[in-house]
Amino acid sequence: MSQATTVLLGAIAGATIFLGLPVARLRGLPKPVQGLLNAFATGILVFLLWDILAHAGGPVTAALEQRHNATFAAMAVIFALGVAAGLLGLVYFNRSIFSHLRHGTTTATPQALSLAIATGLGLHNLSEGLAIGESAHVGAIAFTGVLAVGFALHNVTEGFGIAAPMTTETKPASWRFLALAGLIGGGPTFVGTWIGYLASSPYFSVAFLAVAAGALLYVLNELFSLGRKLNSPPAFAWGLLFGFLTAYGTDLFLTSLQTA
């Protein structure tokens, strides 16, 4: 498969994130519905954090089990620094860059939260792009197509996760803002595909996934705080469960495609 075709597949896989973003323009929703949407988005991100940590920790654990001490030490340090960079970096970046989007409190506004979610998912999608590019580089053409289709389906739910916090705003999100959020969240799939086609490295994969995990830790802290304001505990739990199972079901479908 040519580089141009591979990169095009990566671009398509990333672009589907835009399909879930128009949810951000919904207005006049009752508070319970807003709460359910945000709880659902939180459940999706909880699953993604679990999935990211499993994939990021896999190479570290494998190096330890195989007694590759130098490789294990390097990957463990990369993993720890990546999580720290994603979590603390987003905290300080959000405080300095998005301070004008806050309402005089320490809680991020829906706009800032949506951009933070897009940032974390963008780092995650960079690693997905790496997987597409790497599989094409080694000549696994059918597997490359399966990955692109699966990630494209998965990114629709990620677009919803970015958009859900914006449903609590009084004014609808502008199309320009949604375009920016979509580029931040989906664009890295294209970039990762290009990098993965040219160079394959487990160290890169662990680094990107670890940073994404750290960023999602920050995002989930904000979403849980928002969820407590919008929902009763039972309502939040049901929305959280539904979102988690939806993301899990999508992942199982992707896995079934890969093993078919």
Side-chain angles (χ1 to χ4, degrees), residues 2-254:
S2 69
Q3 180 180 342
T5 302
T6 303
V7 172
L8 177 61
L9 286 176
I12 294 173
T16 57
I17 204 168
F18 286 94
L19 297 178
L21 291 177
V23 172
R25 293 183 59 83
L26 293 176
R27 284 297 161 277
L29 298 176
K31 188 175 180 179
V33 176
Q34 293 178 5
L36 182 62
L37 289 174
N38 278 275
F40 181 77
T42 304
I44 291 173
L45 295 181
V46 167
F47 172 80
L48 287 175
L49 176 61
W50 171 50
D51 190 49
I52 289 169
L53 287 173
H55 284 86
V60 182
T61 303
L64 177 63
E65 292 174 345
Q66 296 169 10
R67 307 290 184 178
H68 296 162
N69 295 333
T71 301
F72 164 71
M75 285 192 169
V77 170
I78 290 172
F79 179 86
L81 291 178
V83 173
L87 175 58
L88 300 178
L90 199 53
V91 168
Y92 291 109
F93 181 79
N94 189 55
R95 286 181 61 185
S96 60
I97 302 301
F98 299 146
S99 59
H100 66 288
L101 296 177
R102 295 172 180 268
H103 300 313
T105 69
T106 58
T107 302
T109 65
Q111 285 179 311
L113 185 53
S114 289
L115 289 179
I117 293 172
T119 301
L121 293 179
L123 292 166
H124 169 236
N125 288 334
L126 184 65
S127 67
E128 290 186 347
L130 288 173
I132 295 173
E134 289 170 359
S135 62
H137 180 73
V138 300
I141 297 176
F143 186 59
T144 301
V146 167
L147 285 177
V149 170
F151 292 148
L153 293 173
H154 213 274
N155 282 344
V156 176
T157 62
E158 292 181 0
F160 176 80
I162 294 171
M166 291 297 299
T167 60
T168 62
E169 283 281 67
T170 55
K171 295 181 179 180
S174 69
W175 290 111
R176 179 179 297 180
F177 179 85
L178 295 182
L180 173 63
L183 285 175
I184 293 173
T189 311
F190 165 80
V191 177
T193 301
W194 179 66
I195 295 174
Y197 190 88
L198 297 176
S200 175
S201 170
Y203 296 99
F204 281 154
S205 180
V206 170
F208 291 137
L209 287 171
V211 174
L216 286 183
L217 281 173
Y218 167 81
V219 166
L220 285 171
N221 178 60
E222 296 283 354
L223 282 174
F224 275 108
S225 177
L226 178 62
R228 286 190 292 269
K229 297 176 182 178
L230 294 174
N231 294 282
S232 65
F236 184 77
W238 278 106
L240 189 70
L241 176 65
F242 187 40
F244 184 89
L245 293 179
T246 298
Y248 182 52
T250 305
D251 190 70
L252 287 177
F253 179 68
L254 171 59

